[in-house]
């Protein structure tokens, strides 16, 4: 049986006389991370900012993609209705653009939006000549007063829904009226372009001679000069908010670095020992004091 005492490592050799032992190394401070109420608030605020930031960025991206993909070469968003038709003398939409009854209100809104409306109308009624015009709602109502016509009240999945207005089946030709803000007429497809502005406006489609039984294929186009700057602004603002939210979340999650020294804990420093002066060896037995070697120094 092996004796465990025999396998123990030998003790370190003793230091030579006059050599001081090496001083112990100073204790290293322990580093930790702590969080206080400010870090928790930073995390909460960052999470709250992240949601609207992502929403703005997504909205800006959707607007930019829609502008690039869903528009034609002229920048119009297009929408085609099912064929509109009536046995009366006109098909009208009243209060197409409702803002202020008396006139142009909030002009800066329309200046900023810069909305352009385009109508393409191809007649398919009792005559090949079709008329399309935009006028103040009050002027158009006065013109159609007493005549039979159809008013578009809503559009359900490209299908217009009408409200029939009873009246006589004849009316003066729209070509001789002077209240139209913009109009187009003739055979084949007619195009009308209008820069939208505040007020009560109406659109009407008729036969050029004012005869009854009106039918036409209509394509509506709209564009806004504000889509591009708004999409860019949303992307930039969303990016700034997302970056700010990410910084707050990271700062709050990392916390503050602290150590024993910061918290007042021990950080002992060992004072080095003074230089050791070597001592003469003790005299050999039997030597007289005068025979001893002189002391160093």
């Amino acid at each position: 049986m092996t004796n465990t005492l025999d396998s123990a490592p030998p003790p370190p050799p003793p230091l030579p006389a006059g050599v001081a032992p090496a001083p112990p190394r100073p204790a290293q401070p322990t580093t930790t991370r702590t969080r206080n109420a400010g870090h928790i608030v930073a995390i909460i605020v960052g999470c709250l900012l992240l949601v609207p930031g992502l929403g703005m960025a997504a909205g800006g991206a959707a607007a930019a993609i829609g502008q690039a993909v869903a528009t034609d070469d002229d920048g119009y968003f297009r929408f085609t209705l099912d064929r509109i038709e009536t046995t009366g003398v006109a098909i009208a939409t009243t209060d197409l653009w409702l803002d202020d009854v008396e006139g142009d209100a909030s002009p800066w809104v329309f200046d900023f939006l810069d909305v352009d409306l385009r109508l393409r109308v191809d007649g398919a009624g009792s005559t090949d000549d079709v008329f399309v015009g935009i006028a103040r709602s009050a002027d158009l109502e006065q013109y159609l007063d007493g005549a039979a016509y159809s008013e578009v009240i809503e559009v359900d999945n490209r299908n217009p829904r009408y409200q029939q207005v009873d009246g006589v089946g004849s009316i003066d030709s729209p070509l001789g009226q002077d209240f139209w803000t913009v109009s187009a007429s003739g055979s084949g497809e007619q195009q009308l372009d209008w820069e939208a502005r505040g007020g009560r406006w109406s659109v009407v489609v008729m036969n050029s001679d004012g005869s009854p039984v009106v039918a036409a294929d209509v394509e509506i186009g709209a564009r806004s000069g504000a889509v591009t700057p708004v999409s860019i602004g949303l992307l930039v603002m969303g990016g700034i908010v997302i970056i700010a939210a990410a910084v707050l979340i990271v700062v709050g999650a990392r916390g503050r670095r602290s150590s024993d020294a910061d918290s007042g804990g021990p950080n002992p420093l060992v004072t080095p020992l003074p230089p050791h002066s070597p001592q003469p060896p003790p005299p050999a037995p039997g030597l007289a004091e005068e025979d001893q070697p002189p002391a160093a120094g």
Side-chain angles (χ1 to χ4, degrees):
M1 181 174 181
T2 304
N3 191 346
T4 57
L5 296 178
D6 295 339
S7 61
L15 295 175
V19 178
R25 295 181 178 180
Q28 298 295 327
T30 303
T31 301
T32 59
R33 290 188 177 274
T34 59
R35 299 184 186 90
N36 53 28
H39 296 101
I40 303 301
V41 172
I43 294 175
I44 295 174
V45 173
C47 293
L48 293 177
L49 288 177
L50 192 60
V51 175
L54 292 174
M56 286 189 290
I65 293 174
Q67 176 77 2
V69 175
T71 58
D72 59 14
D73 296 338
D74 296 325
Y76 283 90
F77 294 93
R78 298 182 299 175
F79 181 77
T80 302
L81 298 175
D82 292 342
R83 175 169 292 183
I84 59 174
E85 50 191 353
T86 182
T87 57
V89 298
I91 301 172
T93 61
T94 59
D95 294 338
L96 173 67
W97 203 276
L98 179 60
D99 189 349
D100 180 63
V101 175
E102 300 300 329
D104 297 341
S106 306
W108 65 270
V109 176
F110 294 96
D111 290 342
F112 173 75
L113 294 177
D114 190 20
V115 178
D116 293 325
L117 181 67
R118 184 184 67 191
L119 297 176
R120 289 176 174 171
V121 179
D122 192 0
S126 58
T127 176
D128 293 334
D129 289 341
V130 65
F131 173 89
V132 55
I134 295 178
R136 295 279 184 181
S137 295
D139 294 333
L140 183 61
E141 290 171 0
Q142 183 177 0
Y143 170 65
L144 295 176
D145 186 33
Y149 66 95
S150 297
E151 179 183 350
V152 178
I153 56 176
E154 65 176 341
V155 176
D156 182 13
N157 193 22
R158 301 179 184 269
N159 182 29
R161 298 183 182 274
Y162 306 98
Q163 178 179 343
Q164 304 298 327
V165 178
D166 297 330
V168 299
S170 63
I171 197 172
D172 295 337
S173 171
L175 299 179
Q177 311 303 318
D178 59 1
F179 57 81
W180 304 111
T181 301
V182 61
S183 63
S185 62
S187 60
E189 184 181 84
Q190 301 299 309
Q191 178 172 313
L192 179 149
D193 298 297
W194 180 58
E195 182 178 353
R197 55 183 183 268
R200 294 181 58 192
W201 301 94
S202 297
V203 178
V204 66
V205 176
M206 306 174 61
N207 295 326
S208 295
D209 57 2
S211 61
V213 186
V214 179
D217 298 318
V218 178
E219 178 192 273
I220 303 172
R223 69 179 178 185
S224 172
V227 174
T228 299
V230 167
S231 60
I232 294 175
L234 287 175
L235 285 172
V236 172
M237 291 299 298
I240 293 174
V241 173
I242 290 173
I243 292 174
V247 170
L248 288 173
I249 293 173
V250 171
V251 170
R254 286 177 61 86
R256 176 179 177 272
R257 179 181 294 180
S258 61
S259 62
D260 292 340
D262 298 332
S263 60
N267 187 16
L269 295 176
V270 177
T271 304
L273 296 175
H276 180 73
S277 299
Q279 300 293 328
L287 291 179
E289 182 176 352
E290 60 272 9
D291 297 332
Q292 295 182 9

